[in-house]
C-alpha cells in the first residue's frame, strides 16, 4: 500500500531542482547572443559629456554696475540666431532737453548701443549686430512730423537686418510714440516714412524688411 500511495512527480512539470539549471542556461544563452550583436549591458548611465556653459540667446542676470554714468534704462534689439532679441542697456540724456531734442538724443544713444560690439557674455550667448558705427540721427526738419527722426544714411540703403534692428529698437523707445512704429528719414530731401516693427520682422529680420508707409497729413 505504501508503494501505491507514494506521490510521484506529475509529468510535464519539472521539479525545482531541474528548473534552476534550465534558467541558468537560458540566461547564459541570452548574454551570449547580446555579446554577439555588439550590445553590452551596463548598470551606469552613459556619460554624454558636460552640458553647454550657456544656453544660446539666454543671458544671466545683468551685472550690477557701480559706474556713476548709469542713465536711462532702455532695450535694444540684437540679432541672435535668425531673430531679434531685446537686451537691456542704458543711455545718457541731459536733463532739461526739449521734447524734440530729447527724442534725438535718446535715438542717438540707442544707435550707439546698437553699433557697439556685444559684450563677452553676449557673444558667448550668440548675439551679434549688423548696425555699423558712425550713423547719426537728428530731429525733424521744417515740414516733417514733430516725431520724425532723420538718419545720416537713407533707411532704404541699410541692410534688412540693420534696418530691422534700428526700427524695432527706436519704435519701442521714448524716441517714438510707442505704437510699434517710428518715422524715419534720410539726409536727402525725400519725405520721411513711417516704419513698423512687426512680428514677422522680429522673427525673420534678414529676409523681412520693416514695412513702411507714407505720412498722411491729419
Amino acid at each position: 500500500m505504501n508503494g501505491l500511495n507514494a506521490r510521484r512527480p506529475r509529468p510535464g512539470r519539472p521539479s525545482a531542482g531541474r528548473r534552476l539549471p534550465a534558467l541558468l542556461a537560458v540566461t547564459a544563452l541570452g548574454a551570449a547572443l547580446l555579446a554577439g550583436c555588439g550590445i553590452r549591458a551596463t548598470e551606469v548611465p552613459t556619460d554624454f559629456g558636460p552640458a553647454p556653459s550657456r544656453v544660446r540667446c539666454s543671458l544671466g542676470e545683468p551685472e550690477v554696475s557701480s559706474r556713476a554714468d548709469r542713465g536711462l534704462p532702455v532695450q535694444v534689439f540684437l540679432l541672435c540666431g535668425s531673430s531679434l532679441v531685446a537686451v537691456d542697456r542704458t543711455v545718457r540724456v541731459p536733463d532739461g532737453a526739449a521734447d524734440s531734442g530729447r527724442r534725438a538724443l535718446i535715438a542717438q544713444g540707442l544707435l550707439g548701443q546698437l553699433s557697439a560690439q556685444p559684450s563677452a557674455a553676449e557673444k558667448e550667448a550668440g548675439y551679434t549686430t549688423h548696425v555699423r558705427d558712425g550713423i547719426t540721427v537728428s530731429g525733424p526738419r521744417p515740414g516733417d512730423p514733430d516725431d520724425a527722426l532723420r538718419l545720416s544714411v537713407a533707411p532704404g540703403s541699410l541692410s534688412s537686418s540693420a534696418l530691422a534692428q534700428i526700427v524695432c529698437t527706436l519704435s519701442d523707445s521714448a524716441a517714438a510714440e510707442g505704437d510699434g512704429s517710428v518715422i524715419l528719414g534720410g539726409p536727402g530731401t525725400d519725405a520721411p516714412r513711417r516704419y513698423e516693427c512687426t512680428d514677422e520682422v522680429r522673427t525673420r529680420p534678414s529676409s523681412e524688411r520693416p514695412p513702411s508707409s507714407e505720412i498722411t497729413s491729419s
Side-chain angles (χ1 to χ4, degrees), residues 100 103 138-141 144-150 175 182-185 192:
S100 60
R103 288 178 187 271
S138 59
R141 294 179 181 176
D144 288 348
D146 292 340
D147 55 345
L149 296 169
R150 289 275 182 173
V182 61
I183 298 176
L184 295 177

Side-chain angles (χ1 to χ4, degrees), residues 94-115:
D95 295 332
D99 186 56
S100 60
R102 182 180 175 83
R103 288 178 187 271
L105 289 171
I106 294 174
Q108 187 63 64
L110 292 169
L111 287 178
Q113 292 293 329
L114 285 174
S115 62

Side-chain angles (χ1 to χ4, degrees), residues 46-180:
T46 303
D47 185 6
F48 292 100
S53 60
R54 185 179 296 277
V55 179
R56 185 172 179 82
C57 301
S58 176
L59 294 172
E61 292 295 327
E63 297 180 359
V64 178
S65 175
S66 59
R67 297 180 304 172
D69 61 347
R70 295 175 64 186
L72 180 69
V74 295
Q75 286 189 324
V76 299
F77 282 87
L78 300 182
L79 294 161
C80 194
S82 59
S83 60
L84 295 180
V85 182
V87 297
D88 295 327
R89 290 284 193 275
T90 58
V91 296
R92 288 182 59 87
V93 180
D95 295 332
D99 186 56
S100 60
R102 182 180 175 83
R103 288 178 187 271
L105 289 171
I106 294 174
Q108 187 63 64
L110 292 169
L111 287 178
Q113 292 293 329
L114 285 174
S115 62
Q117 288 298 312
S119 67
E122 290 167 348
K123 287 181 179 179
E124 184 182 355
Y127 288 84
T128 60
T129 182
H130 285 185
V131 178
R132 65 177 183 268
D133 191 19
I135 300 177
T136 59
V137 61
S138 59
R141 294 179 181 176
D144 288 348
D146 292 340
D147 55 345
L149 296 169
R150 289 275 182 173
L151 302 178
S152 59
V153 296
S157 67
L158 297 170
S159 68
S160 178
S161 297
L163 182 60
Q165 284 186 258
I166 292 174
V167 168
C168 289
T169 297
L170 295 181
S171 66
D172 194 39
S173 73
E177 292 296 332
D179 61 351

Side-chain angles (χ1 to χ4, degrees), residues 1-9:
M1 295 293 294
N2 291 339
L4 295 176
N5 293 332
R7 299 183 62 181
R8 299 177 181 177

